[in-house]
Amino acid sequence: MKTDTYLKKLYANRFDSRQMQAKVALWKVLIDDFLQNYVPPDSAILDIGGGYCEFINQIRAEKKCLIDLNPDSKLFANPDVKVLNIDVLNLGDKPAFSEEFDRIFISNFFEHLRNKEELIQIISFCFEALKPGGSLLVVQPNYKYSFKEYYDFIDHQLPITHLSLQELLQTVGFEIDLIIPRFLPFSTKGRPASPWLLKFYLKLPFLWLFLGGQMFVKASKKNNRGRGASQFCSKYKC
């Protein structure tokens, strides 16, 4: 079976039409009540691996781009989203990516990579594609707090913790602005499962310490490309 055919069947089996609609509603709350705070409305933003466009369609930004291998992404994207069906891991000798962004957003993508070398490639690509002063935003399962469920999904391959991701980001040249080790629940199939519950959850960070299985990271490419000291939010326990 071809990879694209397999992935279509996999995700069709994982999320039915009702669940897909529910995910769009959950993303709207997550964006309005949290993520939009880190994305200026006049910015240029790139979403990597955001296949069904739940994030890129709803985030407010002046310029919006999506990179995804699935050609069907264009069917889900709003007219103001530029869709690029390119493989960041296989650019080869092609010219360097010409776009420069103020923000790059990646959600639930790194765990699907086959090895650490691919992760290094992706992070390095992000560093080069960002404008000086731009930021990478990551929502990602944290293996440290989700190891029991991490491999319940057949396409999860690479285990990553907030500490290993922090080390890689700093090695590439990013400065860590914020790490929340325990943020969202591990899966949208878990709690909270409705928009109003998610809104309530986001307003009570102490709940994140008990239910959070995913991390949130904001890392910036400083103007001098220097490496700054890490800053963990003192409210959150690592």
Side-chain angles (χ1 to χ4, degrees):
M1 184 183 297
K2 292 183 177 179
T3 301
D4 57 347
T5 303
Y6 165 74
L7 290 175
K8 286 181 182 179
K9 288 188 175 183
L10 177 66
Y11 292 117
N13 179 65
R14 185 172 296 172
F15 300 109
D16 59 29
S17 59
R18 181 184 59 82
Q19 290 171 322
M20 292 293 292
Q21 292 176 352
K23 283 181 64 184
V24 172
L26 290 172
W27 270 103
K28 179 170 175 52
V29 172
L30 182 59
I31 289 167
D32 291 347
D33 289 20
F34 187 84
L35 293 173
Q36 191 68 62
N37 296 328
Y38 300 96
V39 181
D42 61 349
S43 63
I45 186 166
L46 169 66
D47 182 4
I48 297 179
Y52 292 108
C53 303
E54 297 103 333
F55 170 81
I56 199 66
N57 280 347
Q58 301 188 82
I59 195 73
R60 296 185 297 280
E62 185 173 318
K63 178 181 178 182
K64 303 197 284 186
C65 292
L66 169 77
I67 288 180
D68 199 284
L69 286 176
N70 185 356
D72 287 349
S73 295
K74 294 180 180 179
L75 302 177
F76 295 97
N78 286 346
D80 63 339
V81 177
K82 178 181 179 181
V83 179
L84 303 170
N85 296 129
I86 63 174
D87 186 353
V88 175
L89 294 171
N90 290 289
L91 292 177
D93 296 328
K94 296 177 183 178
F97 192 65
S98 59
E99 304 278 357
E100 281 198 328
F101 298 93
D102 302 292
R103 297 290 184 272
I104 295 178
F105 179 73
I106 301 179
S107 172
N108 293 262
F109 177 71
F110 296 151
E111 69 271 24
H112 303 291
L113 299 175
R114 290 170 292 188
N115 51 56
K116 296 174 183 178
E117 288 71 26
E118 289 189 345
L119 179 60
I120 293 169
Q121 280 185 260
I122 296 293
I123 296 298
S124 299
F125 171 86
C126 291
F127 190 83
E128 294 303 320
L130 280 168
K131 297 176 182 177
S135 298
L136 172 64
L137 308 174
V138 177
V139 176
Q140 166 68 35
N142 190 340
Y143 187 74
K144 188 177 181 72
Y145 300 111
S146 61
F147 60 90
K148 291 182 180 179
E149 307 93 352
Y150 202 84
Y151 291 109
D152 287 349
F153 297 94
I154 193 64
D155 53 342
H156 284 197
Q157 301 188 66
L158 184 64
I160 302 168
T161 71
H162 62 287
L163 296 175
S164 59
L165 184 58
Q166 175 195 5
E167 183 176 47
L168 174 56
L169 288 166
Q170 290 178 319
T171 300
V172 169
F174 281 100
E175 180 173 316
I176 305 298
D177 299 314
L178 173 66
I179 293 183
I180 304 176
R182 306 194 72 166
F183 178 43
L184 295 175
F186 173 68
S187 171
T188 56
K189 290 187 175 183
R191 301 182 300 269
S194 70
W196 70 267
L197 276 176
L198 177 58
K199 184 180 283 287
F200 178 76
Y201 178 82
L202 291 173
K203 292 181 183 300
L204 298 174
F206 76 89
L207 291 178
W208 306 355
L209 299 176
F210 302 97
L211 300 177
Q214 298 199 52
M215 67 180 97
F216 174 74
V217 179
K218 178 177 181 286
S220 296
K221 175 181 177 178
K222 298 305 181 183
N223 291 317
N224 60 4
R225 298 200 175 200
R227 288 171 56 189
S230 301
Q231 245 185 351
F232 279 75
C233 183
S234 60
K235 289 170 60 178
Y236 310 111
K237 183 180 179 182
C238 297

